[in-house]
Amino acid sequence: MIDHYQAFLEAPSREGFLKLQEEVQSEADFCAAGGFVDQLADLCQGGRYEQMFDLTELMPFAWVGSPSAHLYASIAAQQMGCPDDAELERFLCETMLEGLLETGDGSLDHPYQITYLSDRQDLLAYFSLTCEKQHLVRSPQGMMDVVTATTGEQICFLLGDTMTDTQLNDRHPVRISAAHPRLASKRLAACSPRRV
């Protein structure tokens, strides 16, 4: 499985990211609604960087496709005085976000194909959007979470088969944690068009 991860990192593409998603979702400990990123966000907000660092050092393979997981790993590494690790994790965060951006355009016809529920926050943070309301929509592609931003813009996220009906009903509203810095970079801005 690590081969698909390595292949995507060496030559990021839509197809490579979708294959990585498949591999990650087949992991025994994969859970789209899992609390790994929430746990990291809580530790970050509490300034418990050593615990964050220890947790991200043992990051399960099931979370390698998460921009947030790598973002928090970068923050933890920086706080622990490991600038090379922090830079690597920033690169991984940006690369995973780039992969997500390649999966669609956020429209009903071409929703973003998320791996984890936290991917919604990552994309909203990247576009500097705040969720005002959200609702589920059944489509021929599968279940979608449609988020309406405070700007009035709608962004659609394809939830796919990764969520059970119980998880769909119990999903948390999209909120960006106060500890979740804006996911944007010069590199991504140069290669990904901003939504209009």
Side-chain angles (χ1 to χ4, degrees):
M1 290 191 192
I2 198 79
D3 292 341
H4 296 289
Y5 182 55
Q6 187 68 34
F8 173 70
L9 292 178
E10 289 174 2
S13 67
R14 181 180 191 278
E15 295 74 23
F17 187 75
L18 293 175
K19 186 63 180 167
L20 176 61
Q21 281 182 322
E22 282 180 35
E23 294 297 330
V24 164
Q25 290 166 348
S26 71
E27 285 287 296
D29 57 351
F30 174 77
C31 177
F36 184 70
V37 165
D38 293 336
Q39 189 177 3
L40 292 174
D42 290 344
L43 290 171
C44 186
Q45 199 160 14
R48 297 189 306 252
Y49 302 115
E50 188 171 350
Q51 287 176 274
M52 270 177 75
F53 186 75
D54 292 343
L55 194 58
T56 57
E57 286 287 292
L58 303 171
M59 186 184 302
F61 185 79
W63 281 91
V64 299
S66 168
S68 284
H70 293 293
L71 174 70
Y72 288 120
S74 174
I75 293 168
Q78 191 69 47
Q79 292 295 321
M80 295 304 294
C82 303
D84 291 343
D85 289 348
E87 183 60 33
L88 173 62
E89 291 295 344
R90 271 192 297 277
F91 166 77
L92 294 172
C93 172
E94 292 174 359
T95 304
M96 293 307 148
L97 188 56
E98 183 179 343
L100 274 174
L101 289 165
E102 290 292 320
T103 66
D105 61 13
S107 66
L108 280 169
D109 292 332
H110 303 286
Y112 292 114
Q113 298 178 39
I114 63 171
T115 315
Y116 317 90
L117 288 181
S118 60
D119 292 344
R120 301 170 306 166
Q121 288 94 316
D122 293 340
L123 289 168
L124 289 173
Y126 174 72
F127 292 122
S128 299
L129 296 174
T130 303
C131 176
E132 182 173 299
K133 59 184 176 179
Q134 68 187 108
H135 63 280
L136 291 174
V137 172
R138 291 193 190 278
S139 76
Q141 300 173 73
M143 191 63 76
M144 279 194 279
D145 203 356
V146 179
V147 172
T148 303
T150 53
T151 61
E153 182 176 3
Q154 282 195 332
I155 300 183
C156 303
F157 302 98
L158 183 64
L159 301 174
D161 300 327
T162 61
M163 304 285 298
T164 65
D165 286 340
T166 302
Q167 288 173 323
L168 286 171
N169 292 330
D170 294 342
R171 78 194 192 295
H172 297 294
V174 177
R175 271 186 245 121
I176 297 174
S177 161
H180 194 302
R182 185 168 175 264
L183 289 171
S185 72
K186 292 178 182 173
R187 184 172 78 85
L188 275 175
C191 67
S192 301
R194 298 285 298 193
R195 291 178 58 86
V196 197

